[in-house]
Amino acid sequence: MNRTFRPRLLLGTTLLASFAVAVLLYAADPPAGLSRPERWKRVDEAISKGLPKTAVQELEPLIESALKDKAYPEAVKAICKKIAYEGNVQGNKPEEKITRMQAEIAKAPKEVVPVMNAILANWYWHYFQQNRWRFQQRTATATAPSNDFTTWDLPRLFAEIDKQFTKALSAEKELKATPIATYDALLEKGALPDSYRPTLFDFVAFEALSFYAAGEQAGAKAEDAFEFDANSPALSPAEQFLTWQPATTDADAAHLKAIKLYQNLLAFHKDDKDKTAFLDADLFRLQFAHANAFGAEKAARYKAALKAFADTYADHELSAMARHHWAAQLHAEGESVEARTLALQGKNAFPNSPGGKMCHNLILQIEAKQVQVLTERVWAEPLPVLRVQYKNITKVHFRAVKTDWTARLTKDRWRPEYFGPNEQSSFAKAKPDLEWSADLPATEDYQQRSHDVPAPKGLKPGFYFILASVKADFSDTDNMISATDVWVSDLAVVIRQSWNPAKLEGFVLTAKGGDPVPNAKVRVWARNNRDSSIAEEPAVTTDANGLFAVKGPNQRGIFLLATHDGQELSTQNDHYLNTQPDNYRPQTRTVLFTDRSLYRPGQMIHFKGICLFADTKADEYKVQPNRKVTVVFNDHNGKPVAQADVTTNDFGSFSGTFTAPRDRLAGQMHIVVPADGGSVHFNVEEYKRPKFQVTIDAPKDAPKLGGEVKVTGKATGYTGAAINGAKVRYRVTREVRWPTWFYDCYYWRLPPNHGTAQEIAHGTAMTEADGTFSITFTAKPDLSVPEKDEPTFHFTVSADVIDTTGETRSGSKSVVVGYTALQAALTADDWQTVEKDVLL
């Protein structure tokens, strides 16, 4: 929702996070009788010297003077800075800064209270944004733990932010009568003129909207959360939107408040002579509605609304912004040609406006040249292809640059095949061993596609980087270069690994026929675990069967390079060997089990264990009868709850019970045998057993595209009784699937809406006396998908059933509908040829 260009920025929003001072010194009381500009100068000098306490002393008379002269913007700015500097002195605790602002609001003149409330709301919001992870891990409590907002849960914090914005906006009449220029001392100028936010009300309203429209609001939704359909007036012309009265029981919903605030802004500026503020608010309203509405028609209605906006207000610079949003939506849907045309219209109409500049950036994005090259790791006869993935180019240029694999291994101390971004320039300037180019089919739709280019002949054996470039000179300016590594070799290396003892074995073979290569030299390098340095180890030689063996150091990465008769080939991965230490001893191990994975406090935990003995050197494995074992039950914090001494039976097993504790924090606990480290984990939680289940049946009548589909579900208790009078909340989503031939024919591009699910319906229902409920929806196809591509549409019906006690259970069913009623697939094996009859 936020644009690159903003009219105004609130200085007070980030003051709390902007000042950090390491040294605190003390100064004498500031002299009296100084003017406010002189005092601001002394404040800046004190901060530049690391003297926040001196700055506070200078600010106090400055605040008093500004309030006396009713220079309210300057007073608010000074108050914010004073609070920030006091925080530096006292430890930068967020809760203390909030408390100080609340104290300042309590004694401030009524003319500045709304702005200070907005600043306070922003401080709360800023704290959340910096500490999202804390709030996402908290659950709600019945009452606030304390007045310290840093300990609150997410809904409580959001309610407080909403409260502060509501207070600020309650002075609507005064805010609307205050020109934004009045607060130049407090608000930092943005890139847009004040006509976008002509009054203080506009500024505060958009600050509030940035909170109400935030995606994090989903984390604090009520059970009956307000939602609106794409077919509602939310995406209608402004005249219809202004008369809309959304019906909901969730009166405190953030999105509902955002809608009402947009209606207020539009009504306020409807009759303005300068339409800038009205049009800007209307564009933001359409973006908000598109981001939060549901329904299959959302994208179509959004584009239609932007088109109407751009056509109606074609003589205003904001029409370029509308065309940018319209073009961006088309580009996201894969309609890049139309998107570029629209963006060009917006750019040409108002090239120096924010919308025109964003159209220009979108055009650059659509027209951007891309190239990436992929190929097989080893080139041998018959040569493979180079798969080029590209966009907006018709010719690709290649260079093959030979490099020393062993030198890169010891120098880079990682994989020699890794091509770092800082190497591109040096390799592009190096003398290539081979250069060639290939023509590519044009991408007139501005979409990425793939094209296979035959690998060239003439490269001598060795290790190469194959570079692909948009420009023939491989320069860094306005160019894109991709690289991949290749071995040109007639060898093949096959690795096998054994552990007793740790040994790395392999075969060196010919790549063409797989024949063994005797007397091939295999060089060995090992990585040092401490500093990742790589050192060469003694080489080995293959026997008559092409077999070699490496006994490497313990737990170190092994790199191999096979060489024979001018041919070379490294292994693709570094291999790790785990050898047994010299002081190796046979091991004992206890395997533990519990009867369940979840218990309530006070429930009996039944456990069982089996004691095992393993001697890997002697290849001896057995159970341990008559062994005495100490079993310890530890709580969530790893502290012992109980202990039991048991003895294994003739089969090496034992069993026992513990009681889940009631007197400590619930969570994951475990039972352990300290002697050999055997353990089992489980959870101790307060929970309820499910009382019923939900099933959804397939539709009785075969569904048709565009027709009505009815599915029935049932909520049944585990006792067999029906769950009647329960509330049902359901959603229907649609996914598009393509036949296998589509990917075979169009492997070079992804289909539209690939991997996305579109919500097409949702609502509520009630279970009948027999526990049944029905859900009806229209099987609407995705009209952006051509019928000739033979797509199928998967409609997933999900239902949550909430009984009278509040217990919730869910069920789902998928319904598949397509343009054709039947699908068939036919395959043939490689040996089946046209010359032979085959029985199908």
Side-chain angles (χ1 to χ4, degrees):
M1 292 293 293
N2 290 332
R3 294 190 187 145
T4 306
F5 307 89
R6 293 192 63 183
R8 293 280 189 159
L9 301 175
L10 183 61
L11 291 176
T13 304
T14 54
L15 278 173
L16 292 183
S18 301
F19 306 100
V21 182
V23 181
L24 304 179
L25 301 176
Y26 296 89
D29 292 338
L34 294 178
S35 65
R36 290 202 298 273
E38 290 174 326
R39 290 204 182 273
W40 277 118
K41 185 178 180 180
R42 292 174 66 89
V43 169
D44 294 338
E45 290 174 351
I47 292 303
S48 66
K49 295 177 181 178
L51 305 173
K53 189 170 183 180
T54 301
V56 170
Q57 292 173 342
E58 293 286 354
L59 284 166
E60 287 173 348
L62 195 157
I63 294 170
E64 183 180 351
S65 173
L67 290 174
K68 182 179 179 181
D69 294 343
K70 296 185 178 181
Y72 295 132
E74 189 176 5
V76 175
K77 178 181 177 181
I79 290 171
C80 292
K81 286 185 175 287
K82 175 189 171 186
I83 292 173
Y85 299 150
E86 286 176 341
N88 291 150
V89 175
Q90 299 175 14
N92 283 315
K93 293 183 179 179
E95 61 273 24
E96 292 181 0
K97 297 170 184 176
I98 293 291
T99 301
R100 285 194 287 271
M101 175 57 87
Q102 290 170 335
E104 293 290 347
I105 291 174
K107 64 182 182 182
K110 64 179 182 179
E111 290 86 353
V112 299
V113 168
V115 175
M116 296 178 73
N117 282 326
I119 293 173
L120 181 59
N122 266 288
W123 283 359
Y124 278 121
W125 183 232
H126 177 77
Y127 178 80
F128 164 77
Q129 291 173 319
Q130 299 297 318
N131 297 272
R132 280 184 175 90
W133 60 276
R134 298 180 188 272
F135 291 94
Q136 290 169 354
Q137 296 176 350
R138 293 176 184 168
T139 55
T141 56
T143 58
S146 67
N147 291 328
D148 181 0
F149 73 94
T150 62
T151 64
W152 293 354
D153 55 75
L154 189 60
R156 184 169 283 114
L157 179 68
F158 278 10
E160 183 63 30
I161 299 173
D162 172 45
K163 176 182 174 183
Q164 297 302 325
F165 274 127
T166 301
K167 285 182 178 180
L169 292 167
S170 64
E172 178 180 334
K173 184 178 179 180
E174 293 79 6
L175 293 174
K176 288 180 176 179
T178 306
I180 193 69
T182 306
Y183 273 76
D184 279 349
L186 179 64
L187 305 178
E188 181 181 347
K189 279 280 188 179
L192 296 179
D194 285 351
S195 58
Y196 280 71
R197 304 281 189 276
T199 71
L200 194 56
F201 175 76
D202 293 280
F203 179 81
V204 175
F206 273 97
E207 290 293 311
L209 284 169
S210 67
F211 164 69
Y212 291 133
E216 289 89 353
Q217 294 287 353
K221 278 188 176 181
E223 180 180 336
D224 57 344
F226 166 70
E227 295 174 317
F228 55 96
D229 196 306
N231 288 316
S232 69
L235 285 166
S236 297
E239 294 76 13
Q240 298 177 31
F241 175 72
L242 282 169
T243 60
W244 182 31
Q245 296 294 328
T248 179
T249 57
D250 185 13
D252 293 326
H255 287 171
L256 180 62
K257 292 186 177 184
I259 288 171
K260 291 183 177 180
L261 200 46
Y262 276 120
Q263 289 176 328
N264 193 333
L265 282 166
L266 292 172
F268 176 42
H269 294 295
K270 184 178 180 182
D271 299 324
D272 288 357
K273 184 177 180 180
D274 183 350
K275 287 289 185 182
T276 301
F278 175 83
L279 297 180
D280 184 60
D282 200 29
L283 264 185
F284 269 104
R285 182 264 302 188
L286 292 175
Q287 290 178 266
F288 164 79
H290 175 247
N292 296 286
F294 74 91
E297 296 81 12
K298 179 171 68 172
R301 294 209 69 207
Y302 179 56
K303 289 182 289 186
L306 292 171
K307 180 181 184 302
F309 185 103
D311 292 343
T312 304
Y313 305 104
D315 58 345
H316 196 284
E317 69 174 31
L318 276 168
S319 64
M321 185 67 76
R323 282 192 167 86
H324 166 263
H325 295 319
W326 183 7
Q329 178 65 25
L330 288 169
H331 181 50
E333 295 173 357
E335 301 295 336
S336 299
V337 176
E338 187 178 354
R340 180 178 175 274
T341 302
L342 278 172
L344 278 171
Q345 293 174 3
K347 173 188 174 182
N348 294 335
F350 298 95
N352 296 320
S353 70
K357 294 176 181 178
M358 294 180 76
C359 283
H360 173 74
N361 291 338
L362 181 59
I363 293 168
L364 293 180
Q365 180 183 346
I366 293 172
E367 295 179 347
K369 297 176 181 179
Q370 296 180 7
V371 63
Q372 184 177 10
V373 60
L374 304 169
T375 188
E376 293 185 15
R377 179 175 177 267
V378 182
W379 284 8
E381 291 291 344
L383 291 174
V385 297
L386 288 156
R387 174 155 294 180
V388 183
Q389 296 177 341
Y390 68 100
K391 186 176 76 169
N392 298 330
I393 60 175
T394 56
K395 198 177 191 70
V396 60
H397 306 274
F398 297 101
R399 285 182 179 178
V401 181
K402 191 174 184 180
T403 187
D404 190 335
W405 185 89
T406 59
R408 290 178 63 84
L409 174 67
T410 54
K411 176 183 177 181
D412 295 348
R413 297 185 178 183
W414 197 243
R415 293 297 313 182
E417 297 86 356
Y418 176 71
F419 188 83
N422 57 335
E423 293 183 297
Q424 176 176 305
S425 179
S426 60
F427 270 90
K429 294 176 182 177
K431 182 179 180 180
D433 293 79
L434 188 64
E435 286 188 273
W436 71 102
S437 61
D439 294 324
L440 302 171
T443 55
E444 296 176 351
D445 56 358
Y446 300 99
Q447 300 294 322
Q448 180 177 292
R449 66 172 293 167
S450 297
H451 185 75
D452 290 341
V453 177
K457 296 182 179 180
L459 286 177
K460 296 180 180 179
F463 179 69
Y464 294 84
F465 279 111
I466 307 296
L467 279 64
S469 171
V470 171
K471 299 178 70 174
D473 60 0
F474 283 74
S475 61
D476 295 333
T477 306
D478 192 26
N479 192 21
M480 186 173 186
I481 298 177
S482 173
T484 186
D485 61 283
V486 163
W487 277 99
V488 178
S489 177
D490 290 335
L491 299 180
V493 179
V494 180
I495 298 296
R496 67 185 185 187
Q497 203 161 348
S498 61
W499 303 101
N500 264 327
K503 183 170 59 174
L504 192 65
E505 294 181 322
F507 292 91
V508 178
L509 312 169
T510 62
K512 292 181 181 179
D515 300 319
V517 179
N519 300 317
K521 182 181 179 181
V522 180
R523 298 176 66 182
V524 182
W525 289 265
R527 187 192 306 277
N528 189 309
N529 289 338
R530 288 188 296 274
D531 60 7
S532 295
S533 61
I534 293 174
E536 188 167 5
E537 304 286 333
V540 295
T541 305
T542 60
D543 61 14
N545 296 318
L547 177 67
F548 66 89
V550 176
K551 295 182 180 179
N554 187 35
Q555 294 183 341
R556 295 171 72 182
I558 304 299
F559 299 84
L560 303 177
L561 177 67
T563 62
H564 182 264
D565 196 19
Q567 302 284 337
E568 291 183 322
L569 180 62
S570 71
T571 51
Q572 184 170 3
N573 303 306
D574 45 332
H575 302 271
Y576 284 81
L577 298 179
N578 292 297
T579 58
Q580 294 174 341
D582 295 335
N583 58 350
Y584 167 79
R585 294 179 301 174
Q587 296 182 350
T588 59
R589 189 73 175 178
T590 302
V591 181
L592 288 165
F593 309 89
T594 56
D595 59 327
R596 287 157 55 192
S597 60
L598 179 64
Y599 301 90
R600 292 193 195 93
Q603 284 188 326
M604 194 72 72
I605 301 171
H606 294 268
F607 66 87
K608 183 175 183 177
I610 301 175
C611 294
L612 305 173
F613 171 86
D615 186 347
T616 55
K617 278 189 175 181
D619 198 20
E620 181 182 5
Y621 306 91
K622 61 183 179 181
V623 298
Q624 290 184 296
N626 302 315
R627 178 190 169 192
K628 293 184 178 181
V629 179
T630 298
V631 184
V632 180
F633 176 22
N634 292 327
D635 66 8
H636 180 67
N637 294 315
K639 295 185 177 182
V641 177
Q643 177 177 308
D645 294 320
V646 296
T647 303
T648 61
N649 58 21
D650 293 342
F651 302 99
S653 68
F654 60 86
S655 61
T657 60
F658 290 120
T659 301
R662 300 178 183 269
D663 59 346
R664 59 194 70 199
L665 186 68
Q668 188 180 72
M669 303 186 183
H670 63 280
I671 297 173
V672 62
V673 175
D676 56 29
S679 65
V680 61
H681 291 75
F682 48 87
N683 278 38
V684 177
E685 304 284 357
E686 288 284 2
Y687 73 97
K688 291 174 61 178
R689 290 180 183 273
K691 295 180 180 179
F692 66 94
Q693 62 179 346
V694 177
T695 56
I696 299 179
D697 300 323
K700 295 181 179 179
D701 300 323
K704 296 181 179 179
L705 276 181
E708 195 174 78
V709 180
K710 182 178 181 179
V711 296
T712 57
K714 188 173 184 179
T716 310
Y718 286 105
T719 61
I723 307 298
N724 68 312
K727 184 178 179 180
V728 182
R729 294 184 306 197
Y730 67 86
R731 290 183 180 273
V732 183
T733 59
R734 180 189 64 205
E735 292 181 86
V736 186
R737 306 286 173 83
W738 281 262
T740 54
W741 65 259
F742 181 93
Y743 295 95
D744 294 335
C745 295
Y746 303 107
Y747 65 89
W748 47 268
R749 69 177 177 92
L750 289 176
N753 301 328
H754 178 72
T756 59
Q758 173 98 48
E759 182 178 318
I760 63 167
H762 82 295
T764 60
M766 296 290 289
T767 58
E768 304 292 341
D770 59 353
T772 61
F773 58 90
S774 62
I775 298 171
T776 304
F777 65 94
T778 301
K780 299 178 183 179
D782 187 342
L783 299 179
S784 67
V785 181
E787 183 177 347
K788 64 181 179 62
D789 289 342
E790 299 180 14
T792 56
F793 303 97
H794 289 236
F795 297 89
T796 301
V797 183
S798 304
D800 298 327
V801 179
I802 306 99
D803 70 1
T804 53
T805 67
E807 182 175 341
T808 303
R809 295 293 150 198
S810 303
S812 64
K813 190 69 177 180
S814 184
V815 180
V816 182
V817 191
Y819 287 107
T820 57
L822 194 64
Q823 283 187 337
L826 183 66
T827 59
D829 294 330
D830 294 338
W831 59 269
Q832 296 173 335
T833 64
V834 294
E835 291 83 9
K836 298 180 181 179
D837 293 333
V838 178
L839 180 63
L840 299 178

